[in-house]
Amino acid sequence: MQSSYEDYIEQLDSELLELPDQEDLDGAALGLIRLQEIYLLPPENITKGTLTGKPSPLNPDEAYHLARVAYEYEKFQHAFLWAYESLKQKKRGVTSEVSFKDVLTVLSSSSYKFGQLPLAVFFTEQLLKLDPTDEQVRYVLKHYKLLKELRGHIPSPNMFTLTDPIVSSYEALCRGEDIKKTPKRQRALYCRYSTGGGNPRLIYAPVKEEEESDNPPIIRYYDVLSEKEIEILKSLSRPKRLCINGNCAALNDEEDPVIGRVNQRIADITGLDMESSELLQVANYGIGGRFEPHYDAKVKFRENFQRKFVLFLSRMATVLIYLSDVEVGGATVFPEVGVALKPQKGSAVLWFNLLRNGRMDDNALHAGCPVFIGNKWIATKWFRERGQEFRRPCSLSESE
Ligand SMILES: O=C(O)CCC(=O)C(=O)O
Ligand SMILES: [Fe+2]
């Protein structure tokens, strides 16, 4: 008995998985679901624009598509909520291609998968009402009822309210929670005007500098670029293949005098050597755009001409310049240390990805939170390990 029940669920699952392959649409749907997951947004927030003030009504077919993608990625509560949105609209008489049977099937199966047996029973009953001769549905209903009884009074999880089941520091930081600024840490951090250690170019125009974290060192510099320079960087990169998470829209010094000036300014304020730096890169994230937690430094070993494995140069330091503000979302977060940096147009952030002993710093794990409202533009400049030895004297200590 149990095994045919399981067969049914498996069949149900594979039916759900077998819908047409629409990679792009699914990618967009998954992006939206991820946004909802990180910011704990139920479908009404998207459709009615509760938070954004901009409603984006989705028809029953689109809502159903979102439910299907969520189900496929085992995000059962999101699957349920989107299927429920589809059902509500269908009941209001909005025309659609998707049938009540399809919608109810997702509702019943996702409730079951989420551990919400009363709702699983409820929606399976609705399914049976549509076609009382459907023996498989009758069979499943019987089993859901049995399981519900066996569960007795154990409370079922709330299917309608998104809470935070994922105890992920990344996601909490993106929501502005979990930021670790203990009074001790706060006191230790500083804010000052810097001349880059007496750099002549900065003596008459010192840069406001703020320490955002001491471990790993994260320093923010304010008003590094002017509005005009920002506009030029954006317009130079627009015709290129702009992308997130990738090495695109790299800007060469020859393309415009602004590039050289920006690079020089980065060198002046950080004191790092441009010789070992990569080209300036520009990226743009639209709504839902994000960069999941990662390390910029990849400590790789490669075979050299003598067939010996040597350490491959890795991204020792990152300078990230915000070319825009972001209305909501889009923070740069460091989950290991509880730091969240809100994009501020014209400011630049410097952090180190390696310890002074050359090892990768685990605390340098970082991510770009999804943009919720607005558009996020950044420019990044990476510094390779070699060439920085004199600027940042290395250490032989294990932990530094
Ligand atoms: O978008 C961000 O805030 C982070 C970007 C980033 O980590 C990168 O480009 O390597
Ligand atoms: Fe990064």
Side-chain angles (χ1 to χ4, degrees), residues 244-247 281 283 285 289-296 315 318-320 322 330-334 341 343 351 353 364 366-369 376-382:
I244 53 162
N245 297 14
N247 298 345
Q281 293 184 10
Y285 306 76
R290 65 188 187 281
F291 201 158
E292 297 278 330
H294 65 280
Y295 292 100
D296 285 356
R315 290 170 170 171
T318 304
V319 173
L320 189 158
Y322 298 105
T332 306
V333 297
F334 290 75
L341 310 171
W351 71 84
N353 300 299
H366 62 279
C369 297
K376 177 180 176 187
W377 283 85
I378 54 168
T380 24
K381 185 106 187 139
W382 280 290

Side-chain angles (χ1 to χ4, degrees), residues 65-80:
H65 180 247
L66 280 158
R68 290 287 311 275
V69 173
Y71 192 97
E72 198 166 316
Y73 285 87
E74 302 191 354
K75 299 176 189 299
F76 298 116
Q77 191 181 5
H78 290 273
F80 174 87

